[in-house]
Amino acid sequence: MNILWLQSAGCGGCTMSLLCAEDPNVLDLLEGAGLNLLWHPSLSEATGAEVRRMLDAILAGEPQLDILCVEGSILRGPNGTGRYHMLAGTGRPMMEWVRDLAGIASHVVAVGTCAAYGGMSSAGENLTDAVGLQYDGGHAGGIFPATWRSKSGLPVVNVAGCPTHPDWVTETLMLIKADALTENALDGLARPRFYADTLVHHACTKNEFYEYKASAEHLCEMGCMMEHLGCVGTQAVGDCNTRGWNGANSCTRAGYPCINCTAPEFEEPGHGFTETPKFAGIPVGLPTDMPKAWFMALASLSKAATPKRLAENAVSDRVTVPPTLRKPKP
């Protein structure tokens, strides 16, 4: 299968993340899976006129384009022309190239939240009119309407994340290669369910603190970050804590709250990323599938039962009170 990768409006962070794929590295993995990378603007040697000829040949059907990967949002401005982002040397907006190439590709993959939903590139006043391929924030319809489908019959596959985990990208590509990625394998926002059916909260190393509502008050303290520091891992999809990044880590394991970067409009939560909005002292954002009354009741009971060890360690940057071992009876 042939892959063409285009980088649109974004920071290139998803490519940087992809290069962290390990055992094997991303290039060996693609080769081993029978996936041929026709061109990537950061990884390929071809440039200039050679690339322009290649793009024209792809549009003419030779070689066949099996997977079009787009990283970064699409700029529709000014006034719907797309001319805020021209593909260098072609005289045409990136938006037009993506539309034309998507029309002949068997599959289209949005790599990262910018390409999927607009992401950071669409934050603020969005003067460039940045959108995702098939979503504008949480609303269906980007440069493609909600009903658009690729030649495979699938919508744009949104491998959302800021940045994406390298395995999310490579596993998606390998599922496509194996003809195993169906519409049922995508969630309601067209994210692959192999990682979107898991919450970031799952396997978080702070879960014992969460269960007793033993909360950190400042960054880098050991306690749960939901109550005071803005963590939304109980609502955010992603297997970050079960899969791990760079072999072991995640945002919450590194002491930073989950900001739900796999979701539309995460970039503008309406408050600081390390702040928890509350109403009458209760966090506004509650765990997925948890009724508010249940959460309040369980939180009150949990706080009343918090062991001294957890209460003190929660506001420390290291273990200050170790577990107490019961002495065996004689």
Side-chain angles (χ1 to χ4, degrees):
M1 274 189 166
N2 292 323
I3 302 172
L4 174 65
W5 188 296
L6 297 179
Q7 286 180 318
S8 191
C11 65
C14 289
T15 287
M16 294 298 293
S17 177
L18 186 64
L19 290 174
C20 291
E22 300 174 320
D23 299 325
N25 66 61
V26 64
L27 297 179
D28 288 344
L29 185 150
L30 294 177
E31 182 180 359
L35 293 162
N36 176 40
L37 188 60
L38 294 172
W39 186 70
H40 185 297
S42 299
L43 306 181
S44 299
E45 294 180 358
T47 187
E50 185 179 358
V51 175
R52 294 198 300 272
R53 289 193 295 270
M54 179 200 66
L55 293 175
D56 289 337
I58 291 173
L59 286 176
E62 184 59 42
Q64 176 179 308
L65 180 57
D66 298 298
I67 305 172
L68 172 66
C69 290
V70 180
E71 175 184 0
S73 66
I74 304 299
L75 306 187
R76 296 186 299 190
N79 303 316
T81 65
R83 295 185 66 82
Y84 276 143
H85 184 191
M86 308 291 286
L87 183 55
T90 69
R92 299 183 66 206
M94 176 66 78
M95 180 174 70
E96 293 183 4
W97 279 105
V98 171
R99 282 176 172 161
D100 289 350
L101 290 164
I104 63 170
S106 298
H107 298 82
V108 178
V109 177
V111 181
T113 300
C114 286
Y117 310 120
M120 284 293 185
S121 301
S122 65
E125 296 182 10
N126 196 10
L127 299 177
T128 59
D129 198 14
V131 295
L133 296 183
Q134 204 167 4
Y135 278 84
D136 182 357
H139 304 284
I143 65 165
F144 301 122
T147 56
W148 184 89
R149 294 294 183 270
S150 66
K151 289 171 64 176
S152 67
L154 290 176
V156 174
V157 178
N158 292 324
V159 187
C162 189
T164 56
H165 193 292
D167 291 357
W168 298 348
V169 178
T170 55
E171 286 189 28
T172 297
L173 296 177
M174 288 190 290
L175 284 170
I176 291 173
K177 176 65 168 62
D179 197 24
L181 190 68
T182 65
E183 194 152 3
N184 288 334
L186 304 176
D187 75 355
L189 290 167
R191 299 172 294 199
R193 290 179 56 188
F194 70 80
Y195 79 87
D197 278 356
T198 304
L199 292 174
V200 173
H201 177 64
H202 297 154
C204 177
T205 54
K206 297 178 181 288
N207 276 351
E208 186 182 23
F209 294 100
Y210 168 81
E211 290 166 3
Y212 284 100
K213 303 301 174 282
S215 301
E217 297 176 359
H218 303 94
L219 292 177
C220 296
E221 292 177 347
M222 294 181 62
C224 177
M225 296 180 286
M226 175 189 171
E227 185 176 7
H228 303 305
L229 296 174
C231 186
V232 289
T234 57
Q235 306 160 54
V237 306
D239 57 6
C240 306
N241 278 307
T242 54
R243 186 185 296 269
W245 291 70
N246 296 322
N249 223 327
S250 72
C251 293
T252 59
R253 289 176 188 230
Y256 197 83
C258 171
I259 61 175
N260 200 9
C261 73
T262 58
E265 301 171 9
F266 87 94
E267 67 278 359
E268 293 190 279
H271 55 83
F273 283 130
T274 58
E275 299 173 4
T276 299
K278 300 175 185 176
F279 181 77
I282 302 170
V284 173
L286 296 180
T288 300
D289 301 331
M290 168 89 52
K292 183 176 292 186
W294 292 11
F295 179 83
M296 292 173 62
L298 288 172
S300 296
L301 289 170
S302 297
K303 280 183 176 290
T306 303
K308 180 176 182 291
R309 169 179 63 87
L310 291 179
E312 294 193 17
N313 288 339
V315 292
S316 174
D317 65 353
R318 67 199 69 197
V319 173
T320 57
V321 182
T324 300
L325 298 178
R326 294 183 181 274
K327 293 182 180 180
K329 293 182 179 180

